[in-house]
Amino acid sequence: MDARDQLPNSQSVVVKSAQVRNVAGGYHDHSHTTTNVKNIQIANSGRHEMEALLKHVAHGALHDSAERGPDAPKCHPETRIAVQMDIMGWIEHGERDDAPRRILWLSGPAGSGKTAIAGTIADECHKKGLLAASFFFSAFAGSTNRRVSRLLISTLAYSLIRHKSIVGLKEAVLSAIEDDPIIFERHLDQQLETLILTPFYNTLGRSDSRQWPGVILIDGLDECQSRTESDIGPGGYTRTAGTNAQKEVLSVLSRVCADPRFPFRVIIASRPEPVIRQFFSVSPNNVLNIFLDDKYDPDSDIRLFLTAMFSDIRRRYDLPSTWASKDVVEILVKEASGQFIYAATVIRFLGNPRLGPPQQLLTQVLDWRSLNDSKPFAPLDLLYDHILRTSPDPLLAVKWIRFIHNHHSHSRDAPYLKCVLESYTGETEHVLGTLTSLIELVDKNRKPSFHFYHKSLLDFLGDPARCSDLHVNVTSVGRFRGERYYHTLQGRGHQSDSYISTNPLRHDFPREFCMNLAYYIDPRCRYTSEDVEWWLTNAAPHDRNIRIPRMYASIHDQCKWYHCLPACGVWRKGILQYCREYGWRVPTMKQLLRDRFKKIDFDPSTPEQFPLQRPGVESAESISDHPMTDA
């Protein structure tokens, strides 16, 4: 009889140095060991499966990895307390909510401290035995395995099987790898099913789930650049590869969280990039979104951080208590605009002994244009550079940003600016859609908005030593602005319907456009008398005494004393024809001659001093010359 028949509950028999003899029909076992151990086979073979798993783990992506190191971003003590309490409350007591949600999306602008918060939450959960698994993506990591999604599920599986409280999970996962050794090459959905879901379901009931860790944390999803390392390539990742990888990860996590048997909550921290925003917008009922805005009072936390760091620098360098006064702290808090990355970078700069004493460096920080040579904000610049280059047309995006920032203060509303900037509907999303960690495109009410999260972004773009080939000089910005106003004029505000549709109480696009055209007119463009007539018709009647003289002065501003640009002739002729028709006072020949050699500026506070004047405006000087008869 086969020995295995004597052991019906065994899968195998392991016999070492066995000697079997038949003596008088008897059975004598003289082996050193004869064992029936089901687990020995699993343990022996499991060693190979574990080795295979470890080859597909992104070791540097773990929250406590050596790659992230002890200096990985963490919240400074006593800062970000409110947001940490919100997150930990959801982790520990979220099931008590009226509508429990399985996914928490921590989002916010670049540099607002998402990774620091995620790292702090991971540490806190680890101390409390609540952290089931973590994965910290990083586009700036030296190795590519923290930039790809291929290793996500296997890394999570590795972290999960290390928890002894989840009885039987390790054996089940290793057995799954033995059954399908190439599981790591399959798509994420299949990896999730084979390496996590099925093993979990097969071990349910073997241990008390109340003793299990409760949260899986994934940070920097927006920095996932592709599915595999080969997709990144020597030329860098492509936007499409990153977008597809991020969507695959979101789809997998959403699917698993929809299953009531799955015992974990999932935290995803990322910038509000378009593909991620879109994904969560269609499934809001299962997602709790925490956005790092003014609700969490970042200024107070930055103030606390800076005060503590300045105290530390004072002690280290034996500086007087008057150094880095409260006024200095307030200046830096204001400059930070709620972004911890700015404050942290300033402190790192001040603490670098190679650059000089901190007193001198702080002076440089406060006079920040002098920092071009030393480039102390290299980490911040790298972040800005990386984000800006995600736009399909980075230079155009920079022009848009500079246009929006430098635009006349009376027209900062996004619907108006979109009408001027867009050459086709939807161009805003195309040009700036990937930059929403730097500039807000919609407000809390989903209305168009242009809000810069970082004041230092504008300093970066204005300094060619920092932004390199992304720099667009003032002249180019001016030409771009003039071109946009010219094309909008040629289309007679063709997108004003979009403006009105997003602002139903606003029907003043033509008036507002005509008001601003005088500031941004480009006399190098080819205008027609019809353009002038349309502008005069739509200029606001109640302030034409300001708008018309301003345009008359502006269109002449770039002309030479010996030659006027063609556009100047078209506009001045049309304006003078209109003014004569309505009884305005027009410039005399003497005033015209003076205007050629020394241009007469228009001051809206003293319109009576300008030679072109609406009836009823008192003149400060008597007019003795005859009006000029030709423009």
Side-chain angles (χ1 to χ4, degrees):
M1 182 173 61
D2 192 314
R4 285 174 295 184
D5 295 334
Q6 301 176 21
L7 307 167
N9 296 322
S10 171
Q11 292 184 349
S12 66
V13 174
V14 179
V15 181
K16 296 182 179 178
S17 303
Q19 296 178 358
V20 182
R21 298 177 181 175
N22 270 325
V23 179
Y27 177 82
H28 301 274
D29 185 358
H30 298 278
S31 65
H32 298 297
T33 354
T34 303
T35 317
N36 167 32
V37 236
K38 176 182 178 180
N39 289 337
I40 288 183
Q41 181 189 27
I42 294 178
N44 289 339
S45 62
R47 182 168 59 248
H48 302 294
E49 279 65 60
M50 178 60 80
E51 291 173 356
L53 175 62
L54 290 175
K55 291 179 181 178
H56 294 86
V57 172
H59 304 280
L62 303 177
H63 87 280
D64 55 357
S65 70
E67 181 177 318
R68 297 191 72 236
D71 296 327
K74 303 286 172 55
C75 295
H76 186 73
E78 299 184 21
T79 65
R80 312 319 301 253
I81 300 300
V83 66
Q84 289 183 60
M85 289 179 62
D86 282 353
I87 295 173
M88 291 304 299
W90 174 80
I91 291 171
E92 297 179 298
H93 310 295
E95 73 281 353
R96 301 177 188 175
D97 294 345
D98 294 337
R101 301 182 183 185
R102 306 291 299 283
I103 299 177
L104 185 151
W105 179 33
L106 175 65
S107 63
S112 57
K114 297 180 296 299
T115 295
I117 293 171
T120 302
I121 292 296
D123 284 352
E124 183 68 15
C125 287
H126 179 69
K127 292 176 185 177
K128 293 184 175 183
L130 296 173
L131 185 65
S134 64
F135 196 105
F136 283 72
F137 285 103
S138 174
F140 303 104
S143 58
T144 57
N145 59 18
R146 289 180 62 191
R147 310 181 202 177
V148 298
S149 63
R150 181 179 65 88
L151 305 179
L152 173 65
I153 299 301
S154 49
T155 302
L156 297 181
Y158 164 76
S159 296
L160 291 170
I161 66 175
R162 296 180 63 218
H163 296 284
K164 298 185 184 301
S165 59
I166 311 175
V167 177
L169 181 62
K170 180 176 180 179
E171 292 78 8
V173 170
L174 297 181
S175 178
I177 296 173
E178 181 184 24
D179 292 340
D180 186 2
I182 65 168
I183 182 60
F184 306 107
E185 307 306 321
R186 303 190 188 279
H187 54 75
L188 293 188
D189 197 59
Q190 186 59 50
Q191 288 189 37
L192 176 74
E193 184 71 36
T194 301
L195 296 176
I196 295 181
L197 293 185
T198 300
F200 252 114
Y201 300 155
N202 289 341
T203 57
L204 287 176
R206 296 185 60 182
S207 54
D208 186 355
S209 61
R210 292 174 298 181
Q211 304 301 317
W212 294 357
V215 64
I216 294 173
L217 190 151
I218 298 172
D219 176 68
L221 178 58
D222 54 289
E223 297 189 40
C224 176
Q225 298 180 340
S226 65
R227 189 182 187 281
T228 66
E229 293 88 338
S230 60
D231 291 337
I232 296 178
Y237 80 102
T238 65
R239 180 183 176 188
T240 301
T243 296
N244 290 340
Q246 293 162 25
K247 286 195 293 188
E248 185 182 16
V249 170
L250 289 169
S251 178
V252 165
L253 295 175
S254 180
R255 176 200 162 196
V256 71
C257 287
D259 191 327
R261 296 175 296 174
F262 189 67
F264 305 112
R265 300 176 185 278
V266 175
I267 296 176
I268 299 172
S270 77
R271 301 176 194 134
E273 303 299 348
V275 63
I276 302 175
R277 291 199 328 264
Q278 174 62 26
F279 186 90
F280 284 128
S281 68
V282 299
S283 57
N285 295 330
N286 198 37
V287 178
L288 174 64
N289 183 13
I290 291 182
F291 189 84
L292 298 176
D293 55 14
D294 293 341
K295 169 187 174 183
Y296 292 102
D297 193 13
D299 285 358
S300 294
D301 286 336
I302 293 173
R303 185 177 296 108
L304 183 64
F305 168 76
L306 288 172
T307 301
M309 292 296 100
F310 282 144
S311 295
D312 180 65
I313 293 174
R314 285 192 197 99
R315 287 190 293 270
R316 284 192 285 129
Y317 291 89
D318 195 24
L319 299 175
S321 60
T322 54
W323 180 75
S325 65
K326 290 184 178 180
D327 290 341
V328 170
V329 171
E330 290 304 316
I331 291 172
L332 295 177
V333 168
K334 183 178 179 181
E335 287 299 309
S337 300
Q339 310 309 313
F340 274 82
I341 190 172
Y342 177 87
T345 305
V346 167
I347 293 301
R348 283 196 299 270
F349 174 61
L350 297 181
N352 189 342
R354 295 184 178 181
L355 298 176
Q359 306 97 307
Q360 175 185 334
L361 298 180
L362 181 58
T363 301
Q364 288 181 319
V365 168
L366 297 176
D367 185 18
W368 117 266
R369 292 187 181 276
S370 66
L371 301 176
N372 294 343
D373 294 334
S374 55
K375 296 184 178 180
F377 297 113
L380 189 59
D381 293 351
L382 180 64
L383 182 66
Y384 288 152
D385 183 90
H386 173 75
I387 295 172
L388 287 166
R389 292 185 192 279
T390 64
S391 170
D393 192 336
L395 281 177
L396 180 61
V398 171
K399 289 179 181 178
W400 276 49
I401 291 171
R402 298 285 300 275
F403 178 101
I404 294 166
H405 173 63
N406 295 328
H407 203 270
H408 186 53
S409 59
H410 291 126
S411 296
R412 289 277 176 83
D413 62 303
Y416 172 84
L417 293 176
K418 285 180 65 176
C419 289
V420 178
L421 281 166
E422 289 187 337
S423 55
Y424 58 86
T425 302
E427 188 177 9
T428 298
E429 185 67 23
H430 174 72
V431 176
L432 301 180
T434 62
L435 310 183
T436 52
S437 55
L438 302 178
I439 178 172
E440 180 185 68
L441 299 184
V442 292
D443 61 19
K444 295 179 180 178
N445 299 317
R446 309 303 299 172
K447 299 294 184 182
S449 170
F450 287 133
H451 168 68
F452 295 105
Y453 292 115
H454 305 258
K455 290 182 180 178
S456 54
L457 168 67
L458 303 167
D459 293 325
F460 168 76
L461 293 176
D463 186 344
R466 296 179 63 198
C467 63
S468 186
D469 59 325
L470 289 178
H471 180 66
V472 179
N473 60 38
V474 174
T475 300
S476 297
V477 173
R479 288 177 179 172
F480 172 74
R481 185 173 54 213
E483 289 169 0
R484 289 313 313 148
Y485 265 87
Y486 173 76
H487 287 296
T488 304
L489 175 62
Q490 300 309 299
R492 303 297 185 253
H494 67 286
Q495 294 210 59
S496 59
D497 290 342
S498 171
Y499 173 71
I500 294 172
S501 68
T502 53
N503 292 263
L505 300 179
R506 302 286 300 275
H507 297 276
D508 54 358
F509 176 83
R511 183 197 67 80
E512 194 159 5
F513 173 80
C514 291
M515 177 184 71
N516 286 291
L517 184 61
Y519 293 97
Y520 303 125
I521 192 153
D522 186 350
R524 296 172 302 110
C525 296
R526 294 186 175 276
Y527 297 94
T528 66
S529 58
E530 288 77 12
D531 294 332
V532 181
E533 183 179 352
W534 184 87
W535 180 80
L536 288 166
T537 301
N538 287 279
H542 66 276
D543 59 0
R544 286 180 179 171
N545 60 309
I546 301 296
R547 305 304 165 200
I548 292 178
R550 187 188 298 280
M551 176 64 83
Y552 186 86
S554 297
I555 195 66
H556 184 60
D557 188 60
Q558 296 183 36
C559 296
K560 305 296 183 182
W561 72 268
Y562 53 85
H563 177 68
C564 277
L565 295 170
C568 179
V570 173
W571 277 91
R572 285 198 158 187
K573 181 177 181 179
I575 288 172
L576 289 174
Q577 182 177 342
Y578 170 89
C579 290
R580 290 193 185 98
E581 182 178 348
Y582 287 93
W584 287 49
R585 189 191 71 188
V586 296
T588 64
M589 293 299 296
K590 179 180 178 181
Q591 290 167 333
L592 173 63
L593 183 62
R594 185 173 62 180
D595 194 28
R596 279 192 174 276
F597 288 93
K598 186 178 180 180
K599 296 181 177 62
I600 303 174
D601 294 328
F602 174 71
D603 185 351
S605 64
T606 56
E608 72 281 356
Q609 296 182 12
F610 194 74
L612 185 66
Q613 188 179 119
R614 187 177 187 176
V617 178
E618 295 295 330
S619 175
E621 59 179 282
S622 60
I623 306 299
S624 57
D625 292 337
H626 295 288
M628 70 176 188
T629 58
D630 196 357

